[in-house]
Amino acid sequence: MTTATLTPVEALERVLHCLDRAHETGFKSKAFARALDVVRDTPADEIAERARRNTLKQLDGIGDSSARVVIESLRGDTTYLDKLDSQTQVTITPAGQRYRDALRGDCHLHSKWSDGGATIKAMAKTANALGHEYMVLTDHSPRLTIAHGLDRDRLLAQLDDIETLNEQMAPFRILTGMEVDILEDGALDLDDDLLERLDVVVASVHSKLRMDAFLMTQRMVRAVESPHVDILGHCTGRLIGKRPESEFDADKVFAACAANNTAVELNCRPERLDPPEPLIVMAIEHGCWFSIDSDAHATGQLEWQPHGCDRAAAGGVPIERVINTMSAADLLAWTEN
Ligand SMILES: [Zn+2]
Ligand SMILES: [Zn+2]
């Protein structure tokens, strides 16, 4: 990669991007995030002067590693970044690579508007750099207050923002969307007129994950049957090693997905990898559509699609049933049926 022309801020952003894609969320990430804030808030000439005099570490929040990144960036030296870049590559199998090569977009990701860490523009630029033609922005819906879900007014404001960004970023395209909560009775956490207006709707269960299997099945089927829902997000809700799968009749849910053209998401987050493989095989048998989505909350996490690609390959998902292998225009036509 070419990092020779990066400013100190850009170099530190790149460090955070690499740590994110390696799912590094500990001390190191926090320290670099803090250093980035400090460097952003300090005049560039002061940073350059301190780099020359070797006094960067006198700034509260700059440590050995962040000082090194700043100094190297000012010299056009990429040693630290190159090493980090190679250490944090997301791996993929040759079989998975076939799927990754076919992907033209990402249908589930978040921005700072809800609980993501990056602006819409930063996410779009990264998605574009990863070779995508489009991304669907799917911030959280109102009732997920813990994730700063968007109410009606904020969603409308976001739609305006996306329109402006699309003018700047063409031909790359940001499609509108939302990750809408599936409420306890299977209703959706957004008004119908807004659901109608969005390009792509992901529906996910985020609450009462332990409810009775019969009721959970009804809940999910009702959501999947909504004409507004295009993708069923992380269907089992599992968090590997932390939270078990929700209990529901997967046969019934996937039958409803197939009958209603609602894609089953292969969620690529390393702690989710949802659904588990036996359920992927079951969804294939039902003739479901699939969507291989990063569910990224930071730019580096947009690089997680290989996880889902490998799982699609291992489970034998027909590549032509993966909706984000379509062009944006074809995807929009598909969501209409
Ligand atoms: Zn979710
Ligand atoms: Zn999400």
Side-chain angles (χ1 to χ4, degrees):
M1 61 173 292
T2 50
T3 44
T5 56
L6 296 187
T7 63
V9 166
E10 288 166 342
L12 290 166
E13 284 173 344
R14 181 70 198 165
V15 168
L16 284 165
H17 175 97
C18 290
L19 293 174
D20 271 333
R21 74 182 176 194
H23 210 195
E24 161 73 62
T25 54
F27 170 77
K28 200 171 171 185
S29 280
K30 290 190 178 79
F32 271 108
R34 168 101 179 90
L36 174 59
D37 283 342
V38 172
V39 173
R40 255 194 204 130
D41 292 345
T42 308
D45 48 357
E46 182 184 339
I47 293 293
E49 180 63 17
R50 285 183 177 275
R52 243 186 328 271
R53 293 175 186 272
N54 208 13
T55 60
L56 280 166
K57 285 194 283 173
Q58 288 173 3
L59 291 171
D60 190 21
I62 305 285
D64 286 331
S65 301
S66 48
R68 180 176 166 190
V69 170
V70 169
I71 290 167
E72 286 189 1
S73 73
L74 289 166
R75 283 190 198 137
D77 173 355
T78 59
T79 312
Y80 187 93
L81 281 179
D82 288 345
K83 188 170 169 216
L84 184 66
D85 187 58
S86 71
Q87 283 170 343
T88 57
Q89 291 289 332
V90 179
T91 57
I92 188 165
T93 63
Q97 188 66 48
R98 256 186 73 235
Y99 290 79
R100 179 61 191 85
D101 291 344
L103 294 183
R104 298 166 77 166
D106 193 334
C107 297
H108 180 175
L109 52 98
H110 300 267
S111 75
K112 271 188 171 167
W113 281 75
S114 62
D115 59 347
T119 61
I120 303 172
K121 190 171 192 173
M123 295 298 276
K125 277 186 167 173
T126 304
N128 193 12
L130 289 171
H132 288 318
E133 295 166 19
Y134 60 89
M135 68 178 202
V136 186
L137 182 65
T138 55
D139 277 313
H140 288 288
S141 63
R143 290 215 206 170
L144 207 61
T145 47
I146 193 172
H148 206 212
L150 276 62
D151 61 16
R152 185 178 183 91
D153 288 345
R154 291 181 66 227
L155 178 57
L156 288 170
Q158 184 182 70
L159 296 181
D160 286 344
D161 259 28
I162 291 175
E163 212 174 302
T164 308
L165 281 169
N166 272 330
E167 283 161 18
Q168 296 168 7
M169 298 203 58
F172 183 83
R173 195 141 169 222
I174 303 164
L175 301 181
T176 61
M178 184 168 254
E179 183 180 15
V180 178
D181 260 48
I182 301 175
L183 303 176
E184 236 178 288
D185 63 355
L188 300 169
D189 182 25
L190 192 67
D191 297 335
D192 268 351
D193 63 316
L194 291 175
L195 287 167
E196 177 67 42
R197 188 166 158 189
L198 296 173
D199 292 325
V200 178
V201 172
V202 178
S204 309
V205 171
H206 289 119
S207 60
K208 289 272 168 91
L209 289 147
R210 305 257 59 77
M211 77 194 283
D212 164 79
F214 177 78
L215 293 174
M216 181 61 103
T217 305
Q218 277 193 335
R219 177 185 185 183
M220 292 170 76
V221 166
R222 184 175 169 202
V224 160
E225 285 177 346
S226 160
H228 300 301
V229 172
D230 303 303
I231 299 169
L232 174 63
H234 50 68
C235 65
T236 80
R238 74 169 176 178
L239 292 178
I240 295 168
K242 276 192 191 160
R243 187 166 74 203
E245 298 163 30
S246 296
E247 287 172 25
F248 58 94
D249 184 339
D251 255 320
K252 285 212 172 97
V253 171
F254 293 148
C257 285
N260 293 278
N261 282 329
T262 297
V264 175
E265 175 181 77
L266 300 187
N267 188 292
C268 297
R269 296 189 64 81
E271 77 277 21
R272 287 195 184 272
L273 299 178
D274 200 4
E277 191 161 328
L279 292 191
I280 296 177
V281 172
M282 190 189 286
I284 295 168
E285 284 165 0
H286 279 282
C288 290
W289 292 93
F290 293 88
S291 186
I292 301 177
D293 299 332
S294 68
D295 196 359
H297 287 66
T299 62
Q301 299 176 5
L302 288 165
E303 297 201 34
W304 284 349
Q305 278 173 318
H307 302 317
C309 291
D310 280 350
R311 301 179 68 254
V317 171
I319 208 160
E320 66 279 4
R321 299 298 281 181
V322 179
I323 61 169
N324 47 334
T325 62
M326 296 182 201
S327 67
D330 288 347
L331 177 66
L332 290 174
W334 177 85
T335 64
E336 296 301 317
N337 65 35

